[in-house]
Amino acid sequence: MAILRLENGTAYTDFNDISRELSSLKVDLNSWSVGNDAEVRQLLAKDVLSNEEKETILQAVDRYFEELKAKGGYQTRDLIAIHPDIPNLDAMLSKFDKCHTHADDEVRYIVAGDGIFGFVRPDGSQVELTVEAEEYINVPANTEHWFYLTPKRRVKAVRYFTSTEGWTPQYTDTEIRLGGLAINH
Ligand SMILES: [Fe+2]
C-alpha cells in the first residue's frame, strides 16, 4: 500500500487522503492487480529475468496497456527489473534522484518491489510517495519530481510510453528537502 509523507512528518496510507494531498499535482495513483497466475508470480519474485520472461509478465498485464492505448495514445511498453546486483546501479539511479521534469507523463505500473517518488507541489511544499507492488502511477508532464529506491533496492515496473524521447529528464535546480538522497548515498 502506498505511503505519502509530508515535510512535517505526517504520513498517510489511505488512498483518499493521498489523493487529496496529491490533487494539486494531478498525479494519478491506482491499485492494479497483477492477477494470480502462478508462473507470473514466480517470475515476479526473481531478480534476473530473460527477455522472454519479461514478455510473459508484460502480456499477463497487457489488459492495462490496452486501456491506456485506447485512452491516451500510448504506443509502447517495457519492463524494467532493478535489483542490487545490476552493475553501475547507483550511476543509473542518479539520473532520477535529482529534481527533474519530463515533456511527457511518466507512467509506471509497479509489479514487484517498490520505489519512492518525490514531488514539488505548486505551493512549493514537497511530499514523498512510496509506490508499492500492484500500484500504478501517472506523473503528469512538467511536474517537478524525483525517484529513488527503498533500502530493499528492488523494483519491477512496466513503463508506458507515447514517445521514446519525452521522458528524458530535464533537471531543475530545486533542492530536495526530504530524505531521499540520504538513503541511497
Ligand atoms: Fe522522472
Side-chain angles (χ1 to χ4, degrees):
M1 177 181 279
I3 306 162
L4 184 80
R5 290 187 176 81
L6 311 188
E7 284 181 79
N8 66 8
T10 305
Y12 295 107
T13 55
D14 182 273
F15 254 56
N16 292 325
D17 291 331
I18 293 173
S19 296
R20 185 192 65 238
E21 292 294 331
L22 295 179
S23 62
S24 60
L25 293 165
K26 299 186 171 58
V27 166
D28 194 11
L29 178 71
N30 276 299
S31 181
W32 282 4
S33 170
V34 297
N36 292 314
D37 184 277
E39 184 193 0
V40 170
R41 290 273 173 188
Q42 210 173 5
L43 292 176
L44 290 172
K46 287 176 61 173
D47 274 351
V48 181
L49 297 171
S50 67
N51 286 338
E52 198 184 352
E53 289 171 329
K54 286 183 178 179
E55 192 58 31
T56 299
I57 294 171
L58 284 166
Q59 286 180 15
V61 296
D62 261 352
R63 61 189 177 280
Y64 302 121
F65 183 38
E66 295 303 323
E67 281 173 27
L68 290 172
K69 278 199 276 193
K71 221 192 308 183
Y74 284 83
Q75 295 182 345
T76 57
R77 89 294 191 245
D78 68 11
L79 179 78
I80 52 158
I82 295 174
H83 56 84
D85 297 328
I86 289 182
N88 304 317
L89 178 60
D90 285 331
M92 183 179 134
L93 294 170
S94 69
K95 289 183 194 165
F96 303 106
D97 66 8
K98 300 167 192 69
C99 213
H100 65 276
T101 64
H102 307 278
D104 282 349
D105 293 4
E106 182 168 323
V107 185
R108 302 288 184 264
Y109 171 29
I110 310 293
V111 289
D114 51 22
I116 298 171
F117 286 86
F119 302 102
V120 181
R121 295 192 289 195
D123 66 0
S125 62
Q126 298 184 4
V127 295
E128 283 191 335
L129 178 68
T130 305
V131 183
E132 303 198 325
E134 306 195 276
E135 291 174 342
Y136 159 90
I137 185 166
N138 183 335
V139 180
N142 305 314
T143 301
E144 273 191 282
H145 68 280
W146 61 94
F147 176 82
Y148 64 102
L149 297 179
T150 69
K152 286 182 256 176
R153 293 166 71 79
R154 279 185 175 79
V155 68
K156 291 186 184 67
V158 184
R159 308 186 298 182
Y160 301 96
F161 303 106
T162 53
S163 71
T164 47
E165 306 85 24
W167 70 282
T168 305
Q170 312 288 326
Y171 297 106
T172 64
D173 288 332
T174 306
E175 189 187 335
I176 297 172
R177 294 188 297 269
L178 290 168
L181 295 171
I183 289 180
N184 273 337
H185 298 279

